[in-house]
Amino acid sequence: MRVVLKLGTSVLTAGTDRLHGPRLVDLMRSMAAVRSGGHEVVLVSSGAVNAGWEVLGFPPRDRTLAEKQLLAAVGQGQLMHRYATIADLYGVNVAQVLLTADDFRDRTRYLNARTTLDACLTRGVLPIINENDAVATGQLKVGDNDTLSAFVANLVEADLLVILTDAPGLFTADPRSHPEATLIPVVERVTPEVWALAGGVGSHRGTGGMHTKIQAAEIATRAGTPVVIAPGDQPDALSRIVGGETLGTRFLANGNRLEARKRWILAEIASGRITLDAGAAQAVSERGGSLLPAGIRAVEGEFERGHTIRLLSPDGQEIARGLSRYKSSDLTRIMGKHSRDIEAALGFTYGPEAVHRDDLVRL
Ligand code: GLU
């Protein structure tokens, strides 16, 4: 199972002013245990601004942009240093990946980020993601790490998104003002009623609150990834959740991931067309197989890597739609060639397929 874990500042500081060593150790131990169980973990971690605040000796909270960016820039290194040191105790290597809104909007950057994260997971490295706060502001930002974690869950096509926070989960009412409120164990769908339960912003340390967590749950479940919002102060919370224990609130996925992906491919505007030879057309339309460059006869239109393109049979009928692994000019250079010759032709390769079967919808 591929799990995205989101840790908020309030969890990492355990309610204190500083990143909390014992808490970080507990969290890393839990991640290491889950990884040893054969699962993949991608971490989305806040805490940089708090770490910067700590390093600079707790200057008065100044809300100016420059000051916040300074704290993030100082703290991000410190945060990674803490993670790397603790991860090393468990024999885990970590990688820092800083993303921002444009990395999800721009298709090439999106695919590049995905390639990097895939490479980390393939090599057993734990990627630790945060928003690139030192350079991204306002409109250019995702803005909060709950939403970022949902985007990341989509990016890596996670099987589960776990958001650990300083609340036990989603309640029937705000438990601070309604002592009779009870925890909701399962949410089948994020409805307006669920939104109403989210109330206002919670603690003052992080950016989120229940609102951004519900937003994250909505984004991820719509793309087919279930979400668990659970308390970060429970020992081994992550391994228990991955092991199937009921902790916090679970939001069920809305359809399966592959279906969601295919819906999304069909909703995209196709920016190019490629014509296949008879063998490739048959392999695609009858068996739903991947399309290799060898089976391409013509490339029309201009498109980037990752754009949606139409796949045509030799007689010009559209038989499928899919995401191209190569941009149009590259595809033109490798069409008709064997996949082992891609690297010689282009000087690099993004893999043997022109359109991978997971990125293909038959019509
Ligand atoms: N990126 C911020 C940080 O590392 C946190 C944003 C958030 O809490 O959502 O401090």
Side-chain angles (χ1 to χ4, degrees), residues 7 15 34 117 150 156 164 297 335:
L7 299 173
V34 165
L117 292 173
V156 302
L164 295 185
R297 274 196 179 161
M335 70 180 185

Side-chain angles (χ1 to χ4, degrees), residues 6 8-9 45-50 72 76 79 130-131 133 141 143-146 205-208:
K6 188 267 173 173
T9 302
S45 177
S46 304
V49 171
N50 201 92
Q76 182 60 35
L79 179 66
N130 197 355
E131 181 137 38
D133 289 321
K141 279 190 77 161
D144 72 87
N145 277 3
D146 294 321
R205 287 195 196 288
T207 306

